[in-house]
Amino acid sequence: MTETASDLLAPRTDYYQVFADVDGADLEWWARTRDFCAWARPHINDAWEKAEYNIAAVEEAARRGLVRDGIDIEGEPAMSIRANRLMAMEFARCDASTATAVIVQAGLAMQSINLCGSEEQKKEFLGPMSRMEIRGAFALTEPDHGSDSIGLETSATREGDEWVINGEKKWIGHGSVGHIAIVWARMDDGEVGGFIVDQDSPGYDAETITGKASLRGIPQAHIRLRDVRVPDSRRLPGANSFRDTARILGGTRIGVAWTALGIAIDCYEKALAYASERVQFGRPLIKNQIIQQRLADMLMDVTSVALHCRRLLELEESGELSEKQAALAKVYSTRAARRVAANARDMFGGVGILLENDVMRHMVDLESLHTYEGTDTIQSLIVGKTITGVSAYR
């Protein structure tokens, strides 16, 4: 029997049948991601609780051809934009740390090379990176430049056929456990360039950030670069201004909206299943009016985020998607997913704080999504600028 979209997302979840028309290769990619998540799920909470990077899971995803972000890889089947976004949703439905690892590897590091690299760099890195033979980081954020990343202070000075890089980066996924890092630095002409830096280079020092209460399943690093020498052949020739950097970030910002949708779906479905089974005062929770109302509220948020993502997809596929539209979807989706997760955790009562029920992990992981790829405030101000014509932040 051939699988349909309804087999992957039940009608009680996809209430408006937003994704009911997904078929063909797109449906196959979505199903392959669902199958991977079924394989990975039993180990997710243990790795999260121990703050261990479940690299075996990400490598298995790569073996299944899922670490691509829609990039064309020689010898691999095509992956559409639609398939890629549905896969991001499904990864997050399982685990935000795993979804983030894929975003870092494919959506940021690989896309930097795909969009800004030379043909030689693409041939050297993209295939091995899609197989996780080379793990990559995207080093943009600095200790003093998060939301205002355009003000980055890391410098790259040309000396003959080499560049000498100095500065610091922070909150860099794969930055301490990878092989290369795409380091963004201000060049001699004042513009921002990208450089492929080997993580074992002299002067590259990366420390894994500890004490995180969110996204515990992927390590992030504080990187210090002291006179790190990079040959000119490792400079990304298509990265010549911050606008080129922003082009990459635009894609991952959309990915965050889809990731939030995946988390919201899992929280809603877990809460519905628990309320159907849990008996209190001699009756299932779902027979109570307040529970039905809260489930309806959660479904409204899930449906609204799905509609945002579907419209984003149409704009992305037609090449019409703008930064301001991605900003609105990102901020709305993470806000709505937080509401869904909070309702789900409360509906579980005391056992809602147990990792085995997933919703608490989802709830705290959403705090990272709410912040990275542009904070709630910054995304709102991007939209505000387009509404008013006046910038409130620069």
Side-chain angles (χ1 to χ4, degrees):
M1 181 178 176
T2 303
E3 260 181 329
T4 67
S6 295
D7 296 319
L8 301 179
L9 203 59
R12 68 181 182 183
T13 300
D14 190 7
Y15 207 68
Y16 281 0
Q17 296 188 313
V18 177
F19 304 116
D21 62 342
V22 176
D23 59 8
D26 295 335
L27 182 64
E28 183 179 343
W29 281 114
W30 184 5
R32 287 171 67 176
T33 308
R34 189 274 315 272
D35 292 343
F36 159 77
C37 289
W39 173 88
R41 192 178 284 274
H43 311 288
I44 293 298
N45 284 326
D46 185 56
W48 193 96
E49 185 172 15
K50 295 176 180 177
E52 294 178 348
Y53 185 24
N54 190 5
I55 193 168
V58 185
E59 289 177 340
E60 176 63 23
R63 277 191 289 272
R64 298 182 186 212
L66 306 178
V67 183
R68 291 264 305 278
D69 201 62
I71 295 171
D72 290 332
I73 303 293
E74 187 175 353
E76 297 293 331
M79 179 187 294
S80 70
I81 294 171
R82 179 167 303 204
N84 184 50
R85 296 310 180 196
L86 290 165
M87 291 162 66
M89 176 187 74
E90 195 64 30
F91 276 126
R93 198 172 167 186
C94 175
D95 174 47
S97 292
T98 303
T100 299
V102 173
I103 287 174
V104 167
Q105 178 75 4
L108 290 171
M110 287 176 63
Q111 282 291 8
S112 295
I113 297 171
N114 183 53
L115 295 175
C116 300
S118 66
E119 290 304 314
E120 292 76 12
Q121 290 166 345
K122 293 176 187 179
K123 289 178 182 177
E124 180 180 357
F125 290 102
L126 292 182
M129 290 179 77
S130 73
R131 298 187 293 272
M132 290 297 287
E133 295 166 4
I134 297 175
R135 291 191 295 279
F138 180 89
L140 174 64
T141 302
E142 299 180 352
D144 296 325
H145 296 283
S147 294
D148 67 335
S149 55
I150 194 172
L152 84 171
E153 297 179 47
T154 298
S155 64
T157 303
R158 183 73 179 263
E159 290 189 4
D161 293 331
E162 293 183 320
W163 293 84
V164 181
I165 301 178
N166 284 280
E168 294 188 35
K169 301 293 182 179
K170 196 170 184 181
W171 300 112
I172 309 304
H174 283 173
S176 56
V177 296
H179 301 99
I180 62 170
I182 309 300
V183 175
W184 299 89
R186 200 164 294 283
M187 300 181 292
D188 298 329
D189 61 0
E191 294 291 356
V192 174
F195 301 83
I196 304 171
V197 179
D198 291 326
Q199 292 190 17
D200 59 1
S201 298
Y204 182 103
D205 179 55
E207 177 185 3
T208 299
I209 297 169
T210 59
K212 293 194 305 175
S214 178
L215 288 185
R216 291 169 58 82
I218 178 173
Q220 293 162 305
H222 185 166
I223 302 170
R224 295 173 177 83
L225 302 130
R226 299 290 180 264
D227 294 327
V228 176
R229 291 186 171 270
V230 181
D232 187 55
S233 61
R234 289 293 191 93
R235 184 180 73 84
L236 300 176
N240 298 296
S241 72
F242 191 79
R243 185 174 297 277
D244 298 314
T245 318
R247 191 157 53 114
I248 299 158
L249 294 173
T252 52
R253 192 164 291 146
I254 300 164
V256 174
W258 284 90
T259 301
L261 173 59
I263 292 175
I265 286 171
D266 198 54
C267 287
Y268 162 74
E269 291 183 333
K270 291 284 171 59
L272 176 58
Y274 180 77
S276 300
E277 299 166 359
R278 178 65 168 168
V279 175
Q280 289 285 276
F281 301 104
R283 53 192 277 155
L285 285 180
I286 55 169
K287 287 194 173 183
N288 292 288
Q289 290 181 357
I290 189 61
I291 295 296
Q292 291 196 13
Q293 181 183 20
R294 292 179 76 170
L295 286 168
D297 288 344
M298 294 163 74
L299 180 60
M300 290 177 204
D301 277 328
V302 168
T303 303
S304 295
V305 177
L307 289 168
H308 269 76
C309 287
R310 180 59 189 252
R311 179 56 181 154
L312 275 182
L313 177 62
E314 293 168 351
L315 292 168
E316 191 177 11
E317 288 176 328
S318 66
E320 300 175 276
L321 185 65
S322 69
E323 177 190 17
K324 61 182 180 292
Q325 291 166 328
L328 179 64
K330 192 272 182 180
V331 69
Y332 178 80
S333 298
T334 54
R335 283 187 188 180
R338 287 168 100 202
R339 290 194 295 268
V340 174
N343 262 317
R345 201 232 62 79
D346 191 61
M347 201 173 297
F348 269 84
V351 299
I353 67 170
L354 296 177
L355 290 179
E356 66 187 45
N357 292 313
D358 295 326
V359 293
M360 191 68 203
R361 170 171 52 82
H362 283 322
M363 187 176 179
V364 294
D365 283 347
L366 275 166
E367 294 306 297
S368 292
L369 269 67
H370 195 59
T371 300
Y372 70 31
E373 302 301 332
T375 64
D376 181 282
T377 300
I378 288 297
Q379 302 302 331
S380 298
L381 293 179
I382 289 171
V383 177
K385 181 180 177 181
T386 65
I387 296 170
T388 64
V390 178
S391 174
Y393 56 91
R394 65 180 181 191

